Amino acid sequence: MEAGLPQNPKGTKRLAKELKDMEKDMIEDVVIEPNEENPCLWIVKIKGPVGTPYEGGTFALRMDMTKEYPFKAPELKMETQIYHPSIRFENGEIC
């Protein structure tokens, strides 16, 4: 996975607008950290839900808006090693 600026400058503008919209209506226990050098690479940190085996943990997810964004969905990968049936333990890929 290699993050890159969208080929279309409108993609970068759209990302900035989407981030601003999300900051207005933040989801509790979720933090979005755009990469300062590459606005198309975000780290999303999620606190584990209360009452689950993940409670008390903070889990980082890499969100890579590729050069094809917004015409292609972002690529996602867990940065925090986690045991979950939808996440490949060895590399964090979401399946």
Side-chain angles (χ1 to χ4, degrees):
M1 242 189 293
E2 185 171 326
L5 296 176
Q7 292 175 348
N8 183 344
K10 289 182 182 179
T12 304
K13 287 181 182 178
R14 179 175 171 161
L15 273 177
K17 181 188 179 315
E18 289 175 0
L19 181 61
K20 186 178 270 190
D21 290 347
M22 284 186 263
E23 288 172 343
K24 287 181 199 172
D25 198 18
M26 287 299 295
I27 299 170
E28 188 175 342
D29 298 331
V30 175
V31 176
I32 301 168
E33 299 174 349
N35 183 295
E36 290 181 21
E37 295 175 15
N38 184 349
C40 295
L41 178 62
W42 296 359
I43 299 297
V44 180
K45 294 183 180 175
I46 305 166
K47 288 187 181 178
V50 175
T52 71
Y54 305 105
E55 182 177 358
T58 300
F59 305 92
L61 172 79
R62 176 187 170 117
M63 206 170 161
D64 178 3
M65 280 54 90
T66 63
K67 291 181 181 184
E68 296 84 16
Y69 183 83
F71 304 106
K72 180 182 172 197
E75 294 178 0
L76 304 174
K77 179 181 175 187
M78 288 299 298
E79 293 287 296
T80 305
Q81 202 168 41
I82 184 172
Y83 290 102
H84 188 280
S86 297
I87 299 171
R88 290 195 175 104
F89 180 74
E90 56 279 348
N91 62 12
E93 286 182 2
I94 298 173
C95 43

